[in-house]
Amino acid sequence: MNAEAYIHLLKLLAPEAILVVTALVVLGLGLSPSSERMRPLLTRLTLFGGLVAASVLYLFSKNACILNGMVVLDPLGRIFKLVILGLGLITVIFSAASPVRRHYAEYLALILFSTVGMMLLAGTEELLMIFLALELTSISLYVLTAYLKDSTASAEAGLKYFLIGGVSAAFLLFGLSLVYGVAGTTNLRALVAISPALAGDPLMLVGIVLTLVGFGFKVAAVPFHLWAPDVYEGAPTPTAALVASGSKVAGFFILAKMLALGFGASVGMAAWSQFRPGWLPVLAIMAALSILLGNLAALVQSNVKRLLAYSAIAHSGYMLLGLTSASEAGFTAVLFYVIIYALTTIGAFGVVSVVERRRGGSQLQDFDGLHKTAPGLALCLLVFLISLAGIPPLAGFFGKFYMFSETLAASGKGANPSMLWLVVLAIALNAVSLYYYLIVLKHVFVAKPAEEERVKAPACGPLIAALALSVLLLGLFPNVLLEPLRAAVKNYTSSLVLP
Amino acid sequence: MNAMNDYPLLIIFLAIAIVFPLIPLALAWAWGVLFSPAKPGKDKGAIYECGIASTGAAQIQFQSHYYLYALVFLIFDVETIFLLPFAAAFLKLPPAAFLALMVFLLLLVEGLIWAWAKGILRWK
């Protein structure tokens, strides 16, 4: 590698580099003795660094692919990097008022590091780099989860996340090594050319299944979901928001990319009673179990963060269902839905964090009479939960509808029999999900408040309102996001040299 | 000999590998039972510490926060592994590679300074 290549690499990774430098500066400033008073300064500095990185990414970045696919930038990757960066910055704003008292600078730096990991994940087509970026993301998130030193729930959540995450990383690495062993390349684009010859190779199938185990953990799909409820409940709420939104977006993006590119030919079949080995039946089973268990377990939760965790498991199921379409339109629908889902869920966690700070807990009773004490927040929560339940005119409805219809349309064609059984299951249980979202809203709007007085709006109020507004507007005008996404996916698939 | 016939050979190897060390162990045990009756005593049961009379019990408490030193040490240990090939090929490398390695060193040094300032290197 010569000097030019280094400069090219630095140019391509400028947004990530800016984030890392910001994190290092924040770490350094956090060492000063008066770091408690410097809290607002640290938050602002982090946001400033993030905004600079976002504008560099949006304005100055060029499409490129260097180091044999290690670092790639294309329109699709740019959209997802921007979304992930945005979610990271929203998390930073939430943490400004979080219960994290000690080592605040390190908290911000870790959020930035995990954001950098997710952005690298969105910008690579190389198995090794995928693993490294996933590890960077996960290790930062483990620490962020266990951050509340005097809370045993936080420590327990961190340990569970770490142990299960470590095991799943081992599965993923083993799966990737098998894929490499069979295919002889770690580059996803090179795999596209080879994969038809490998379809049906038993070792390749084992590799695919092991890889899917690793990703199943990342996106909290049943039966690899066990960490999710404890982590969402025990972690500091901003961390939970990042785990629920950013890491899910990055996870689904790279999963879709791997399925489309790396495993393209080993599709298999998952229509009712017509299973054939490949990644499709594995995904279909994971999707069915996630939808079933997520929605049913959420019915009996008394803690809102835990309820959101089970709802997240169910939503992972819906998105895995979308991936079983194995078509360009279906993948576009999943990518669209995961962005919508991330915006909605991070907004819901924002409301939860405000309530938690005020009442000291996130049990259902803590939400009693929220519309009296904070009408704006209650309205935002209504928008978020109704969107998660998938009721028009909110974005969640359009996203789900689009995903289900594309799955049906794509899977009914030709030799690929219909996935109707899975879609019917998803729609039936989506109706069930309305019940537990409405229970939360019943506590918010019907139950009597513990104290009557109005509370002044929290600092992150405008942000939550903006998120709620965007969820509403994306439901009314989905083309604002869908058109660029569709164009980017089209651009991406046309750049592939299919055999 | 084809590939399938290698496996019985492997099993024979395994059997020998298990039996071979068992023979001296069994002989030693038989010798002990037959010729040396057990006579336990204070000196005989003492902990062996290079011949000097032992002081205190063997189950002492280790300070668990030693792990922080171990972590910092590990980072710089790994750093050496990266530096060695760099040093070996130093004269053939472009200036940009030197710059890249300096960035790597800078990251590690910031880590050390951070750990130092946080008081991790102070023994409590």
Side-chain angles (χ1 to χ4, degrees):
Chain A
M1 233 171 116
N2 51 15
E4 235 169 87
Y6 275 100
I7 290 166
H8 196 59
L9 177 68
L10 196 65
K11 257 190 198 161
L12 200 57
L13 286 180
E16 284 88 347
I18 291 170
L19 286 185
V20 170
V21 169
T22 313
L24 293 180
V25 171
V26 167
L27 269 182
L29 285 179
L31 290 177
S32 73
S34 61
S35 64
E36 184 59 32
R37 266 184 291 135
M38 284 174 57
R39 233 175 125 103
L41 174 74
L42 292 176
T43 314
R44 265 176 228 149
L45 189 68
T46 314
L47 287 179
F48 177 73
L51 289 179
V52 171
S55 45
V56 166
L57 183 60
Y58 187 69
L59 298 173
F60 302 117
S61 61
K62 289 196 195 74
N63 297 343
C65 168
I66 58 169
L67 291 177
N68 198 16
M70 282 268 185
V71 183
V72 179
L73 195 63
D74 47 41
L76 188 62
R78 186 174 298 117
I79 292 178
F80 271 83
K81 280 189 176 188
L82 279 172
V83 168
I84 288 165
L85 187 52
L87 294 170
L89 293 186
I90 293 172
T91 312
V92 169
I93 296 175
F94 287 159
S95 13
S98 70
V100 176
R101 287 273 147 253
R102 298 171 59 203
H103 307 303
Y104 181 64
E106 286 76 14
Y107 192 76
L108 293 181
L110 282 169
I111 291 179
L112 287 182
F113 285 144
S114 81
T115 309
V116 168
M118 294 172 204
M119 286 170 73
L120 287 176
L121 201 55
T124 183
E125 285 174 357
E126 172 83 10
L127 295 181
L128 280 176
M129 192 68 185
I130 288 175
F131 181 74
L132 277 181
L134 263 180
E135 283 304 280
L136 176 59
T137 313
S138 305
I139 291 174
S140 313
L141 286 178
Y142 301 150
V143 184
L144 285 173
T145 302
Y147 219 79
L148 298 178
K149 254 188 162 177
D150 35 11
S151 147
T152 45
S154 172
E156 185 195 333
L159 198 60
K160 274 186 184 163
Y161 196 18
F162 172 62
L163 289 176
I164 301 180
V167 172
S168 86
F171 271 96
L172 180 65
L173 194 57
F174 192 40
L176 294 181
S177 76
L178 284 180
V179 171
Y180 170 67
V182 177
T185 176
T186 55
N187 184 292
L188 282 182
R189 280 185 194 244
L191 270 171
V192 177
I194 301 171
S195 71
L198 297 174
D201 184 323
L203 214 53
M204 181 74 178
L205 289 176
V206 174
I208 288 173
V209 170
L210 289 177
T211 312
L212 288 181
V213 169
F215 281 115
F217 159 81
K218 205 67 215 145
V219 300
V222 177
F224 315 108
H225 65 289
L226 289 165
W227 57 275
D230 287 314
V231 168
Y232 282 40
E233 189 187 4
T237 310
T239 308
L242 189 64
V243 172
S245 60
S247 106
K248 210 150 221 180
V249 171
F252 267 103
F253 180 72
I254 199 66
L255 177 58
K257 215 174 194 179
M258 282 210 63
L259 293 178
L261 296 182
F263 306 154
S266 314
V267 178
M269 200 187 282
W272 190 249
S273 75
Q274 298 182 39
F275 281 74
R276 198 189 299 152
W279 54 264
L280 208 53
V282 183
L283 276 198
I285 290 169
M286 276 183 0
L289 289 177
S290 305
I291 294 169
L292 206 63
L293 191 131
N295 280 319
L296 293 184
L299 291 176
V300 291
Q301 301 307 319
S302 60
N303 183 305
V304 174
K305 278 157 91 176
R306 240 184 141 74
L307 187 148
L308 283 173
Y310 281 106
S311 129
I313 293 169
H315 277 91
S316 283
Y318 300 141
M319 287 181 255
L320 289 175
L321 183 165
L323 289 179
T324 59
S325 65
S327 73
E328 189 188 315
F331 278 47
T332 315
V334 172
L335 295 180
F336 176 73
Y337 189 69
V338 77
I339 294 178
I340 299 285
Y341 172 75
L343 287 179
T344 319
T345 196
I346 204 170
F349 269 105
V351 177
V352 171
S353 77
V354 174
V355 171
E356 202 176 32
R357 195 164 62 250
R358 203 170 282 160
R359 299 271 179 88
S362 54
Q363 298 294 318
L364 279 173
Q365 291 78 28
D366 295 317
F367 284 76
D368 281 353
L370 188 69
H371 83 292
K372 281 266 170 56
T373 53
L377 272 186
L379 196 65
C380 290
L381 190 62
L382 173 82
V383 169
F384 294 135
L385 292 186
I386 293 287
S387 170
L388 283 177
I391 288 180
L394 297 163
F397 164 74
F398 178 78
K400 259 182 208 159
F401 177 77
Y402 184 48
M403 202 160 65
F404 291 165
S405 64
E406 286 297 349
T407 308
L408 275 185
S411 65
K413 271 180 209 142
N416 199 0
S418 172
M419 299 291 298
L420 186 65
W421 65 276
L422 195 54
V423 175
V424 168
L425 179 78
I427 293 175
L429 280 155
N430 195 47
V432 173
S433 78
L434 191 58
Y435 174 76
Y436 56 80
Y437 292 125
L438 286 183
I439 282 195
V440 179
L441 292 178
K442 185 182 142 204
H443 278 273
V444 170
F445 285 96
V446 181
K448 267 200 159 62
E451 79 262 27
E452 275 296 331
E453 83 277 21
R454 289 277 286 265
V455 206
K456 72 175 173 60
C460 56
L463 177 68
I464 296 175
L467 282 171
L469 196 65
S470 68
V471 169
L472 179 64
L473 289 180
L474 279 175
L476 295 174
F477 311 105
N479 269 351
V480 178
L481 178 61
L482 195 53
E483 276 312 316
L485 204 58
R486 222 182 247 157
V489 173
K490 185 148 275 158
N491 173 318
Y492 189 78
T493 41
S494 64
S495 78
L496 296 174
V497 188
L498 290 172
Chain B
M1 188 190 269
N2 66 26
M4 285 311 287
N5 285 346
D6 287 346
Y7 286 99
L9 206 64
L10 217 63
I11 293 172
I12 295 170
F13 262 119
L14 192 68
I16 293 175
I18 292 170
V19 171
F20 190 71
L22 282 181
I23 294 170
L25 284 177
L27 282 178
W29 175 78
W31 183 272
V33 168
L34 290 177
F35 300 111
S36 74
K39 282 186 207 153
K42 188 168 167 289
D43 289 336
K44 225 176 165 184
I47 306 157
Y48 180 71
E49 278 183 4
C50 55
I52 305 167
S54 59
T55 53
Q59 287 93 355
I60 61 160
Q61 191 183 10
F62 283 93
Q63 295 285 353
S64 72
H65 64 254
Y66 186 73
Y67 81 98
L68 288 172
Y69 292 79
L71 273 183
V72 176
F73 167 74
L74 192 71
I75 293 165
F76 284 91
D77 210 26
V78 173
E79 175 199 353
T80 326
I81 298 173
F82 281 109
L83 280 181
L84 202 65
F86 173 78
F90 185 72
L91 291 176
K92 290 180 202 108
L93 289 176
F98 179 71
L99 197 72
L101 210 88
M102 282 302 124
V103 171
F104 173 63
L105 284 184
L106 197 73
L107 288 174
L108 283 176
V109 168
E110 159 135 11
L112 181 66
I113 292 173
W114 179 83
W116 203 332
K118 280 275 167 184
I120 286 168
L121 299 186
R122 206 175 305 126
W123 188 263
K124 278 170 273 198

